[in-house]
Amino acid sequence: MRQKLAAGNWKMNGTQDQLGMLAQVPPSQPGCEVLICPPAQLLIPAVQQALGRLSIGAQDCHAQAPGAHTGDLSASMIADTGARYVILGHSERRQAHGETDALIQAKAAAAIDAGLCPIICIGESHAQRINGQALDVIQDQLRLSLPDHLTQAPSVIAYEPIWAIGTGLIPSLDQITKAHSAIRAHLRQRFGAPGNDVRLLYGGSVKPDNAAQIFACPEVDGALVGGASLSAEDFGPIITALAAA
Ligand code: 13P
């Protein structure tokens, strides 16, 4: 039985005053974990203020061991903050930082080796969706960005269609179901039975008013939430909908 996961990706938002919302968010409960991924400067105070009620994660890590990489954080440094997760390969990093599947695979391997749970993001562009290439794109990203030892530790995959991020658009429930089913089939084929343990999140314009129907889709174990995770008023009902799903 996979534990559900409501994950908030704050992206490049938040100074210390934003941490007040951590006390207002419904806490993790058996069967439904709540995770906040703040920007890096808030990791340590977030871990301290979450008091174990919530899990805390980072939004990126470097693939290499500590060394001469100005401005970067290694997976071991992230783990040292008390964070337990790290988002990798978000489309904003793939696009704005030129991150390739091979780099994301190396980062995921480093995260696992540091004891972190990677949340590996995949998803097609609007043009790829329109051209009927969505499932092929997903398969390629899975094949190239997942490390071979993915299932030796807990891991998460987030399906985030690029055209649904921050736009208010979401795929049809049928499109979400088909994408998640394809991801699960890939995991089973490549990793065998342990492929069933990887949690699959949907991400892209998840809001209080669409969360319940998304969570009712097969193989959707939770959500990776951007804008709506910045306020307890919006994130709270999403967490409640997931716990009830
Ligand atoms: P929005 O929920 O703001 O669309 O962002 C989704 C996302 O990119 C989460 O990683």
Side-chain angles (χ1 to χ4, degrees), residues 92-167:
E92 287 153 15
R93 293 203 63 86
R94 289 177 183 262
Q95 291 180 327
H97 295 264
E99 293 200 0
T100 62
D101 287 316
L103 179 64
I104 293 155
Q105 183 187 52
K107 289 183 174 193
I112 291 169
D113 294 345
L116 295 171
C117 176
I119 301 176
I120 301 169
C121 302
I122 59 171
E124 81 283 0
S125 68
H126 192 246
Q128 290 164 334
R129 168 60 68 181
I130 296 294
N131 292 333
Q133 299 168 317
L135 295 182
D136 289 340
V137 169
I138 291 170
Q139 293 290 351
D140 283 348
Q141 290 175 330
L142 289 169
R143 189 165 48 79
L144 298 171
S145 61
L146 305 186
D148 286 335
H149 64 318
L150 181 80
T151 53
Q152 288 175 16
S155 59
V156 178
I157 292 173
Y159 170 58
E160 298 205 312
I162 297 169
W163 51 277
I165 295 174
T167 59

Side-chain angles (χ1 to χ4, degrees), residues 10-50:
W10 284 4
K11 308 191 179 187
M12 198 172 73
N13 295 291
T15 47
Q16 295 192 51
D17 52 0
Q18 174 72 15
L19 294 175
M21 73 86 81
L22 297 183
Q24 295 157 12
V25 168
S28 297
Q29 55 182 279
C32 186
E33 183 177 7
V34 181
L35 166 70
I36 298 278
C37 298
Q41 95 284 9
L42 294 180
L43 283 173
I44 291 174
V47 167
Q48 289 167 344
Q49 293 189 35

Side-chain angles (χ1 to χ4, degrees), residues 139 176-186 188 200 218-219:
Q139 293 290 351
I176 293 175
T177 299
K178 286 202 170 90
H180 280 240
S181 300
I183 296 167
R184 182 66 67 202
H186 179 104
R188 283 203 193 107
L200 306 187
E219 301 291 349

